[in-house]
Amino acid sequence: MQIVIIGSGNVAYHLAKAFTQKNIPLAQIFGRNEEDLNKISQDLNIPYSTNNLEDADLYIICVSDSSVENVSKLITKTDCLVAHTSGSLPKEILIGEYRKSSFYPLQTFSKSKELDYSKIPFFIETENSEDQKILAELASQISENVMESSHEKRKYIHLTAVFACNFVNHLFSRAKEISDAQEIPFDYFLPLIDETVKKIHEIEPKSAQTGPAVRNDKRVLELHEQLLTNESLEIYKTMNHSIKKMYDLE
């Protein structure tokens, strides 16, 4: 099966790397950013182009959600399968006479960060059972966790991921602002962060909650509020309100 990856960002790079590690041949990586494509090509020994899209049986579109529709129009072949990797878009966003699908890897991707691809869940949606089998077999060569998922279910998977990953990382950034302002090395907080994440592998997140809000420690809560301003203060109040509401403390 001839496979082409379209895109040059984090998802495209890691998907290409995952395929390469499992000796799944890629006919091409295609996109508009020649500098990034050239680097991926050199790293993974994959042909690339910015203007000539190779003929393929499967095209995997790894671009931003806002670009998926326009990029999908570049594929004029009809006898092929096209998949996007978005967590939030329906497969119907793809514009063409080809067979449409989604191939969603549930992970946060950065080119500089090594990943164990076997642990990344893949969620697949297709128009027919034959294509479902094709994508499931492909994903199973990379990952131990592959499942079928409708767009409706995938929307909630993506929403959960935003809470569990993107929001949490933003809180790390806000925490670092506070520690930097007080000249406290943020590295000192890494063991605490690591233990917090490890704990929910064994305990339900709700049962693992600690801190002044779940203790309803008004003195500490008021003290902390006096130390904060602007967005950080609003975040602090909102998070504590949510915690207390979850544990019926308000």
Side-chain angles (χ1 to χ4, degrees):
M1 183 169 62
Q2 291 284 95
I3 303 173
V4 167
I5 289 179
I6 301 178
S8 59
N10 295 330
V11 177
Y13 170 75
H14 277 287
L15 205 53
K17 188 174 180 180
F19 286 168
T20 302
Q21 287 182 356
K22 292 299 182 179
N23 297 314
I24 301 170
L26 292 174
Q28 182 189 58
I29 185 160
F30 178 89
R32 62 184 181 182
N33 190 318
E34 184 157 12
E35 182 179 351
D36 286 348
L37 288 171
N38 184 53
K39 187 175 187 311
I40 295 171
S41 177
Q42 289 184 357
D43 286 352
L44 303 177
N45 194 28
I46 302 168
Y48 81 90
S49 178
T50 59
N51 47 47
N52 295 312
L53 187 61
E54 283 284 344
D55 183 80
D57 303 300
L58 170 62
Y59 295 91
I60 304 178
I61 299 176
C62 307
V63 299
S64 65
D65 283 11
S66 60
S67 300
V68 168
E69 182 174 350
N70 284 336
V71 168
S72 75
K73 296 175 184 177
L74 299 175
I75 304 167
T76 57
K77 185 177 179 180
T78 57
D79 184 21
C80 66
L81 177 60
V82 179
H84 68 64
T85 54
S86 167
S88 61
L89 295 176
K91 62 184 184 300
E92 290 77 16
I93 195 74
L94 301 169
I95 306 298
E97 297 302 315
Y98 43 71
R99 303 179 328 267
K100 301 171 177 64
S101 62
S102 67
F103 190 73
Y104 174 48
L106 179 60
Q107 186 53 277
T108 175
F109 294 99
S110 297
K111 287 181 181 176
S112 59
K113 181 70 172 63
E114 291 288 329
L115 291 170
D116 181 355
Y117 301 115
S118 68
K119 304 300 182 186
I120 298 175
F122 278 80
F123 297 92
I124 294 165
E125 181 185 13
T126 63
E127 293 178 331
N128 59 65
S129 59
E130 185 66 26
D131 288 336
Q132 179 70 29
K133 183 179 178 182
I134 289 171
L135 290 186
E137 288 180 353
L138 179 64
S140 294
Q141 293 182 63
I142 304 168
S143 171
E144 300 169 359
N145 303 297
V146 180
M147 69 176 291
E148 185 175 355
S149 177
S150 66
H151 174 233
E152 188 64 26
K153 180 73 73 174
R154 187 159 35 87
K155 287 190 294 185
Y156 285 98
I157 293 167
H158 189 247
L159 176 61
T160 304
V162 169
F163 271 82
C165 173
N166 305 136
F167 287 176
V168 171
N169 189 73
H170 180 67
L171 291 177
F172 292 155
S173 298
R174 287 295 185 184
K176 190 173 186 299
E177 285 180 346
I178 297 169
S179 68
D180 286 352
Q182 298 302 315
E183 299 182 350
I184 304 166
F186 189 68
D187 287 355
Y188 286 7
F189 298 91
L190 295 181
L192 173 65
I193 293 169
D194 290 343
E195 179 59 24
T196 302
V197 174
K198 287 178 184 176
K199 193 185 294 185
I200 62 169
H201 284 264
E202 301 175 11
I203 306 172
E204 284 283 327
K206 187 173 180 180
S207 300
Q209 187 69 52
T210 61
V214 76
R215 298 194 304 269
N216 204 17
D217 190 332
K218 295 179 181 179
R219 184 190 66 82
V220 173
L221 293 171
E222 290 173 2
L223 172 63
H224 287 173
E225 289 180 9
Q226 292 169 13
L227 300 176
L228 295 168
T229 58
N230 302 324
E231 290 90 354
S232 292
L233 176 58
E234 291 305 311
I235 291 170
Y236 189 83
K237 288 181 176 178
T238 299
M239 293 296 292
N240 284 324
H241 172 70
S242 181
I243 292 169
K244 288 195 281 186
K245 191 170 182 180
M246 177 174 280
Y247 296 89
D248 296 322
L249 298 173
E250 284 195 342

